[in-house]
Amino acid sequence: LIWVGRAHQDTKRIFDLIPFMKELVRNSPQVHLSIVGPFTWDISEADYRKRIKDAGLGDYVSLVGPKTHSELIEYYENSDIAISTSIIEGFPISLIEASNFGLPIVMYELPWLWIAERNKGVTGVPQGDYASLAQAVIKISKNPELYRSMSQAAVEKIEELKSVDFLQLYDGLIKNSLSDKYS
């Protein structure tokens, strides 16, 4: 599993990954989560590492810090499912990156996000429901056909993004003529 972003509690709910992983390890002990990204002002890496150790998750969670472009690609390529515990997002680049690599996404519900809207590559669960987040990962990982279909849907969503004419959108924004789809 991979989680990418700023390790921040207020918006990214990084603490939710601990009970999520405890639930997941209890049901699927071969799982591993890589947390990729920098720590921010509300928690230090040392404090989070201690929380992981105290929860008995030292063998199941890696804090890998921020990565360069090529290093990040390697993490995506070596992951099977992307996790997001964010409670608010605008344009979540990490989910777009994960979709580009065909990773199914399991996340807290953010139905207004373009990447989640009508996307069969995304499974959303109620915000804060880390047990459902874990159950969704288990369901996907135990069903190869579901995994394949979600992976394909993730890639198709990225192809949809690539087909958007952003210059036309910027022009429409400036001229106040965006279609309802983009307004």
Side-chain angles (χ1 to χ4, degrees):
L1 306 175
I2 188 169
W3 184 98
V4 177
R6 288 176 293 104
H8 185 258
Q9 176 57 18
D10 287 347
T11 58
K12 305 296 183 180
R13 307 314 270 183
I14 188 86
F15 293 163
D16 289 12
L17 291 172
I18 294 172
F20 158 74
M21 283 301 292
K22 285 180 79 169
E23 178 77 16
L24 201 52
V25 167
R26 185 171 41 254
N27 291 289
S28 185
Q30 70 280 7
V31 71
H32 187 270
L33 173 65
S34 294
I35 298 175
V36 182
F39 279 77
T40 60
W41 59 268
D42 68 342
I43 183 171
S44 70
E45 182 176 342
D47 181 35
Y48 198 76
R49 192 173 300 281
K50 181 179 181 328
R51 288 171 186 250
I52 290 169
K53 183 180 178 191
D54 290 350
L57 297 171
D59 293 335
Y60 303 100
V61 177
S62 296
L63 304 180
V64 298
K67 294 298 169 192
T68 65
H69 178 71
S70 59
E71 292 169 327
L72 184 56
I73 287 171
E74 188 175 322
Y75 276 93
Y76 280 121
E77 287 176 339
N78 290 310
S79 297
D80 297 310
I81 298 173
I83 306 300
S84 176
T85 50
S86 292
I87 60 167
I88 189 154
E89 288 285 354
F91 193 77
I93 192 70
S94 62
L95 299 181
I96 292 167
E97 291 168 347
S99 293
N100 192 58
F101 285 92
L103 298 182
I105 296 168
V106 178
M107 62 184 284
Y108 287 161
E109 292 172 338
L110 299 173
W112 60 86
L113 286 182
W114 171 86
I115 194 73
E117 185 179 59
R118 295 182 309 280
N119 185 348
K120 293 183 179 178
V122 173
T123 296
V125 303
Q127 290 189 13
D129 189 350
Y130 53 81
S132 291
L133 205 65
Q135 290 306 311
V137 168
I138 292 166
K139 180 181 176 183
I140 294 165
S141 63
K142 288 187 175 184
N143 184 332
E145 184 53 40
L146 176 61
Y147 183 91
R148 274 190 294 278
S149 69
M150 289 185 73
S151 179
Q152 181 61 37
V155 171
E156 288 170 3
K157 193 68 169 180
I158 293 305
E159 292 305 315
E160 181 184 326
L161 175 64
K162 290 177 184 176
S163 71
V164 173
D165 183 346
F166 283 96
L167 288 177
Q168 182 181 10
L169 289 178
Y170 294 138
D171 186 57
L173 179 63
I174 291 167
K175 294 177 179 174
N176 199 26
S177 63
L178 281 176
S179 73
D180 288 343
K181 179 178 179 181
Y182 297 106
S183 66

